[in-house]
Amino acid sequence: VKSFGEFLADSLNKANELELESERLKAALATGRIEDVSQVVVAAQKAEIALQLTLQLRNRATAAYQEIMRMQV
């Protein structure tokens, strides 16, 4: 069973890999090595969705932390 920290680290690494793959495909399209634009669009959308999910997780974690800090002991 993975801890939350391990799950978060794995998710961040995967999001980074998707972004790097998107950039690689964009460069390949720009240099003419890829003619199928749909590959590039799909990779860019995957990277965008992963980034949005990461941002939402960050926002939720921050909100939870702030709520905990407001609790009176």
Side-chain angles (χ1 to χ4, degrees):
V1 177
K2 285 184 178 183
S3 70
F4 178 74
E6 291 171 333
F7 178 75
L8 185 59
D10 289 347
S11 297
L12 290 173
N13 287 334
K14 182 64 176 172
N16 189 46
E17 289 171 13
L18 289 170
E19 182 63 33
L20 293 174
E21 177 67 9
S22 175
E23 292 299 320
R24 186 185 68 76
L25 288 175
K26 287 177 188 176
L29 180 66
T31 59
R33 291 183 286 143
I34 292 179
E35 294 183 12
D36 186 10
V37 177
S38 66
Q39 288 179 330
V40 180
V41 172
V42 169
Q45 286 298 312
K46 284 182 180 180
E48 177 67 23
I49 290 169
L51 176 62
Q52 290 299 320
L53 177 60
T54 301
L55 291 174
Q56 287 300 317
L57 284 172
R58 182 206 61 189
N59 292 344
R60 295 283 174 106
T62 302
Y65 173 77
Q66 289 172 345
E67 183 68 26
I68 290 169
M69 294 307 291
R70 281 193 294 265
M71 288 183 184
Q72 294 184 3
V73 181

